[in-house]
Amino acid sequence: MSTPHSSSTSSAPHRASPPQIPESLTLAATASSGSPSSSSASGMRDAAEDDSDSPPSQMSEDDPGGGGGGGDRWEPDLRGGNGGTGRWAPPDQVLENVLESVLEFLTAARDRNAASLVCRSWYRAEAQTRRELFIGNCYAVSPRRAVERFGGLRSVVLKGKPRFADFSLVPYGWGAYVSPWVAALGPAYPRLERICLKRMTISDDDLDLVAKSFPLFRELSLVCCDGFSTAGLATIAGRCRHLRVLDLIEDYVEDEEDELVDWISRFPESNTSLESLVFDCVSVPFNFEALEALVARSPALRRLRVNHHVSVEQLRRLMARAPQLTHFGTGAFRSEAAPGGGLSVTELATSFAASRSLVCLSGFRDVNPEYLPAIYPVCAKLTSLNFSFASLTAEELKPVIRNCINLRTFWVLDTVGDEGLRAVADTCSDLRELRVFPLDASEDSEGSVSDVGLQAISEGCPKLESILYFCQRMTNAAVIAMSKNCPDLVVFRLCIMGRHRPDRITGDPMDDGFGAIVMNCKKLTRLSVSGLLTDKAFAYIGKYGKLIKTLSVAFAGNSDMSLQYIFEGCTKLQKLEVRDSPFSDKGLLSGMNYFYNMRFLWMNSCRLTMRGCKDVAQQMQNLVVEVIKDHSDDEGEAEIVDKLYLYRSLAGPRNDAPPFVTLL
Amino acid sequence: MADVESCLKATELRLGLPGTEETTAAAAALPTPPSTPRGKKRDGNIAADEAAKKRDGETAPPAAKQATVFEVLTRVETTFVSSCRAQVVGWPPVRSYRKSKPAPAEEKAPAAAATATAAAGALFVKVSMDGAPYLRKVDLKMYKGYRELREALEAMFLCFSGGAADTPSVNPSDFAVTYEDKDGDLMLVGDVPFDMFISACKRLRIMKGSEARGLGSVKNN
């Protein structure tokens, strides 16, 4: 369905030409309905742990970045949307109507962007018929501009903070507030049904405004957001009578124990259309009876993920009420009774056996391994299993995984060791996505998995498309093996936790391993590197990584050449995040011609100075260059730049920046 | 290079009397230096390499071992990868959501609060201790009160006090924790409510010895 290579950046000037904004770069906002495969296969809500390229439909990365029609080309008062009467009457009203009917069928962002560039007529028709707006950087465009262009939005997806905010690198109060957006969207789109936010701050007041502004509101998805509490959730639950989806994924919910609100009870009796309720990140106790009643009156409920305040006894009750569930987050997976008492494994197994539609299991937050056999009845049908909060040994994992012959997505803790991974490789030949998280996420930890596990996986899972692997010991050989055995890899993220660690056997840098990945995995779009790496690794990446959109670099490289290789070679680069690497202003400036083609560049703890950053800011008018200081570094040298965040923007420097952010 | 080595050794700051034996507890408290890359070296790690080699070759008595480690750390501080054994913010890149495990039922509130502050953004301030060769950073938002903060600081700087806390040569009340506030004044920690302290504190300084005597006894808040 997608027009091949119709990315609007293709209309950008050749990369080597002087820095100008490509004509197509106007609105960074594009619509996206996501690729069909990503929304069906991934039951894990990848947007939770990952962003961009392996997303569920809401968070799709099909944003070519360049945006849709050439807003700068058109007359300023071209009002596609709510701005009132346009100055032109279209010469052929019939054609316009036909156009609109036809364009209704276009859903992919790329197609819509391409269509909007054809001519004014198409631009207007597209603007009127676009239903979903995807904005990959909330500061790249102003709410007013979005509202002016699009007339009939039903769904808005917004992303805020840069991903490194997840690792405490962006100070509190930096920004990404949804308030101005809600304020603008409310009056403009009374029929809005869906809002998805990622890494944004949304307050209880904002939630209140959402509930008030959109009477037909159906779907709220908040991923890695903060700023709200159970009070805000209560408002949404209570006032959005048609709510079908409430997905809270890895948010930070502000709650004082004594100010808890029983938000689950607020879902009215009349709401019987709930399809998805995900709240495992809302870590405070809740009213279980209310949940049970809600589940009982929701025959359409397919996805339910509860928090760890749910025992296996309570799980059983929920499963009895919702045998039609497809995605189930199992809470603690432990009995509330004293050891010896409580539910028996057999009884729990019966409940699982009755859930004939289950394809995705998660939770297991405080798992009692004795209860694991209860899930055997569903293992064969599972396509997605998340054990990443369960400290299981290989022995505990094996009997379970051996039944999971259809598994496509598997998240696990490294406690299972190389042996556990071997068991996965032996059974799960259809595996597409693997994530191995560290139990002990520190540099000096023992690390329970190694190159041995990676090699085993590569041999047993040739269809692997996405891998995230935390370890302490790795070899080039294993990485090279994976590059050859798993040619379909789209996402390769290897995190050798100890900094600058070389190949554990040869002592060489990890250059050749990552080189092989970019060389052999021709579909690779996302790469995270680690271990001891020289400029050579980046020479490989620049030479072969032609499809890479997201690149994460930490503690790597020798010199500015690394950055130059990346900028010059990775022609599709959208997002580059770098930390603690010896790159200076020279490296930064080597990217000058490419910044407009990217969504953002993040660099922290490198060797940048104000001088270099100012150079960039001065030469690139449509780039916002932010220099961010840590709160406590008042006495730091003024010239040294610790954190740089730059991004293309049509909105200019933002007006909500806190004092520790300097906009150049 | 040898000159630099001996110069560094001559000027290195050491805690405790020369020749004081370090206890195994203190030794264990010191973080292990990174494994040395065999073969190719990178600029940042040369110091660590040399020091590690030296360390490997030594069968020294504890005092000398302690000196060597300090030497390593002093030198490493001056390289690009400064204080490489101090915890680096946000590395490995695992979300705090994932790092915090849900506590058992009784301890839900504190656990949630701890997760909360970690995720909401940190308030890192430098902590210096008189005589220690390098500084640390703490996230003030991680602590609910003075007691927790003090315990954390004690744990962090234990290795620099020349021994375990119960050795007779070191008395915890010989230390005073002070902070520098917005006006640049040196204030004693503990006088104002914890929340007020957090918003005013710009950096912490642990004083010891005669300067601190008497002040250190005001430690329970």
Side-chain angles (χ1 to χ4, degrees), chain A residues 48-49 166-167 172 199 250 252 257 308-309 365 388-389 437 444 497 499-500 507 532 557 579 607 632, chain B residues 38 42 80 84-86 88-95 97-98 101-102 108-109 116 120 124 126 137 202:
Chain A
E49 190 58 40
D166 293 348
F167 316 124
Y172 185 68
R199 289 195 195 95
E250 295 199 15
Y252 166 55
E257 269 288 314
H308 59 275
H309 289 274
R365 294 295 182 124
S388 65
F389 291 98
F437 294 98
D444 304 317
M497 294 190 282
R499 287 174 268 165
H500 307 119
L532 182 62
R579 64 168 296 172
R607 292 177 181 166
S632 54
Chain B
R38 309 249 143 56
R42 298 184 59 239
F80 172 66
C84 64
R85 284 299 95 199
V88 173
V89 174
W91 185 264
V94 174
R95 292 188 185 149
Y97 171 78
R98 187 162 283 288
K101 302 289 236 150
K108 285 297 188 313
F124 280 99
K126 290 185 188 174
K137 268 203 169 176
K202 291 294 161 203

Side-chain angles (χ1 to χ4, degrees), chain A residues 235-265:
Chain A
T235 315
I236 292 287
R239 298 187 62 151
C240 300
R241 310 248 133 201
H242 303 279
L243 197 68
R244 299 198 179 191
V245 172
L246 181 58
D247 286 349
L248 305 167
I249 298 168
E250 295 199 15
D251 305 304
Y252 166 55
V253 184
E254 328 232 351
D255 264 310
E256 302 298 318
E257 269 288 314
D258 49 347
E259 286 170 13
L260 282 187
V261 173
D262 180 6
W263 59 283
I264 302 250
S265 314

Side-chain angles (χ1 to χ4, degrees), chain A residues 508-520:
Chain A
D508 291 333
M510 294 299 298
D511 297 340
D512 290 338
F514 286 102
I517 289 287
V518 288
M519 245 192 282
N520 299 330

Side-chain angles (χ1 to χ4, degrees), chain A residues 68-112:
Chain A
D72 283 337
R73 282 198 286 230
W74 308 112
E75 311 283 336
D77 64 337
L78 174 72
R79 303 283 171 92
N82 297 292
T85 57
R87 272 220 305 233
W88 307 271
D92 187 350
Q93 183 66 49
V94 172
L95 178 62
E96 188 111 337
N97 292 344
V98 167
L99 257 179
E100 286 193 8
S101 309
V102 168
L103 290 179
E104 290 267 355
F105 291 99
L106 282 185
T107 46
R110 228 158 245 163
D111 299 337
R112 289 206 150 258

